């Protein structure tokens, strides 16, 4: 039957596996959230009727709140990752200078994300009305959360730049296009592709907390932030899709 042929297709099984992961669902919702933000800005610039803009604005807000709920407690994961990176750095005396730099940046990235997730959980309770904060306390904590996120993203981007420089050095030291040299070149190319993808994602994401904090006034707006968030979300979604293949 046609229905059976569709249900048992490999693509359908892959999709079910993808949405069955928390990360997969989050990436999909994130893509819709930031595209809604961009499209609402686009409609506003086109002088569209408010009735056309409001659904996308509401969708952006609703998806943002839902994703905050999914992230509750996730700060523990990042604190653990930071501790593990620190333990590796301190327990091993054979780490090179390059490895130590990357370890420091990894610790900074994980602590930045952990701080953001912690404060984000607190502000989520304020957003849904479960625990209302006095005065501007909620907004202050939200800005502080974005600062932690920005710090983590900067560390991640710096690690990407450093890894790119490191890979370029490795590539220049490879001799020959056959045998072991060819294998090494292919390995470097694969690693560079992963590093460049993550670096592009980090640079796009940096615009989100930077704009929320108030940096880049006159350069950043909802359109740029929404488009940047859409690009980074798409990159993350594609990466997760590949992992669940």
């Amino acid at each position: 039957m046609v229905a059976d042929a569709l249900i048992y297709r490999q693509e359908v099984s892959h999709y079910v596996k993808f949405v069955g992961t928390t990360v997969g669902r989050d990436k999909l919702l994130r893509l819709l959230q930031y595209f809604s933000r961009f499209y609402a800005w686009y409609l506003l610039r086109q002088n569209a009727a408010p009735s056309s803009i409001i659904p996308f604005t509401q969708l952006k807000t609703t998806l943002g709140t839902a994703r905050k709920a999914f992230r509750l407690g996730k700060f523990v994961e990042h604190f653990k990752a930071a501790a593990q990176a620190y333990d590796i750095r301190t327990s091993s005396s054979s780490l090179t200078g390059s490895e130590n730099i990357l370890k420091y940046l990894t610790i900074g990235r994980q602590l930045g994300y952990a701080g953001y997730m912690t404060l984000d959980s607190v502000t989520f309770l304020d957003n849904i009305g479960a625990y209302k904060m006095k005065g501007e306390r909620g907004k202050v904590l939200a800005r502080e959360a974005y600062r932690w996120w920005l710090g983590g993203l900067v560390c991640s981007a710096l690690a990407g730049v450093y890894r790119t420089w490191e890979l370029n050095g490795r590539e220049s030291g490879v001799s020959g296009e056959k045998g072991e040299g060819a294998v090494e070149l292919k390995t470097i190319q694969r690693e560079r592709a992963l590093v460049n993808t993550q670096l592009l994602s980090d640079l796009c994401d940096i615009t989100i907390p930077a704009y929320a904090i108030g940096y880049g006034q006159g350069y950043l707006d909802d359109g740029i932030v929404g488009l940047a968030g859409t690009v980074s979300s798409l990159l993350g979604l594609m990466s997760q899709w590949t992992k669940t293949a």
Side-chain angles (χ1 to χ4, degrees):
M1 295 176 62
V2 176
D4 290 338
L6 291 174
I7 290 173
Y8 291 105
R9 285 184 64 85
Q10 183 178 355
E11 293 84 355
V12 175
S13 298
H14 188 182
Y15 170 78
V16 171
K17 187 177 180 180
F18 172 76
V19 297
T21 64
T22 303
V23 175
R25 292 193 300 272
D26 179 71
K27 297 300 182 184
L28 184 58
L29 293 179
R30 191 180 194 270
L31 176 63
L32 295 174
Q33 176 191 354
Y34 282 100
F35 178 77
S36 297
R37 183 172 184 172
F38 166 75
Y39 198 60
W41 170 87
Y42 172 78
L43 291 176
L44 182 64
R45 291 292 298 268
Q46 296 298 313
N47 295 318
S51 59
S52 300
I53 302 173
I54 290 176
F56 292 98
T57 302
Q58 291 178 336
L59 180 61
K60 174 197 70 175
T61 303
T62 301
L63 291 177
T65 302
R67 292 185 59 243
K68 284 178 181 289
F70 289 153
R71 293 197 298 264
L72 286 175
K74 199 173 186 295
F75 61 89
V76 177
E77 174 186 335
H78 294 289
F79 275 124
K80 180 180 179 181
Q84 289 175 333
Y86 178 80
D87 288 341
I88 293 174
R89 183 181 65 80
T90 55
S91 62
S92 177
S93 57
S94 61
L95 291 180
T96 64
S98 172
E99 290 171 331
N100 273 320
I101 291 174
L102 291 174
K103 293 300 180 185
Y104 276 117
L105 290 173
T106 298
I107 293 170
R109 174 169 62 90
Q110 295 296 345
L111 287 178
Y113 293 167
Y116 167 67
M117 295 292 180
T118 302
L119 295 175
D120 188 61
S121 298
V122 177
T123 57
F124 170 73
L125 298 177
D126 178 63
N127 290 340
I128 64 174
Y131 176 75
K132 296 302 294 182
M133 299 180 186
K134 296 181 179 179
E136 298 292 313
R137 185 63 176 169
K139 293 181 179 180
V140 172
L141 287 180
R143 284 195 295 271
E144 192 63 28
Y146 280 121
R147 288 192 178 93
W148 280 93
W149 186 18
L150 180 61
L153 287 170
V154 168
C155 287
S156 183
L158 288 175
V161 172
Y162 188 82
R163 285 285 292 133
T164 299
W165 175 79
E166 193 177 50
L167 288 171
N168 289 340
R170 280 176 55 189
E171 186 177 38
S172 63
V174 176
S175 57
E177 297 181 355
K178 297 181 179 180
E180 293 183 0
V183 174
E184 178 66 9
L185 284 175
K186 289 183 179 179
T187 301
I188 292 173
Q189 289 171 357
R190 285 195 297 269
E191 291 181 14
R192 180 183 285 122
L194 293 174
V195 170
N196 288 344
T197 298
Q198 184 59 51
L199 179 58
L200 176 58
S201 179
D202 289 335
L203 293 177
C204 288
D205 280 343
I206 281 175
T207 64
I208 302 170
Y211 180 63
I213 295 170
Y215 299 154
Q217 293 293 337
Y219 299 97
L220 297 177
D221 56 26
D222 269 343
I224 294 176
V225 173
L227 186 58
T230 300
V231 171
S232 65
S233 299
L234 186 58
L235 292 174
L237 187 148
M238 292 170 62
S239 175
Q240 184 62 17
W241 179 265
T242 301
K243 291 178 182 178
T244 55

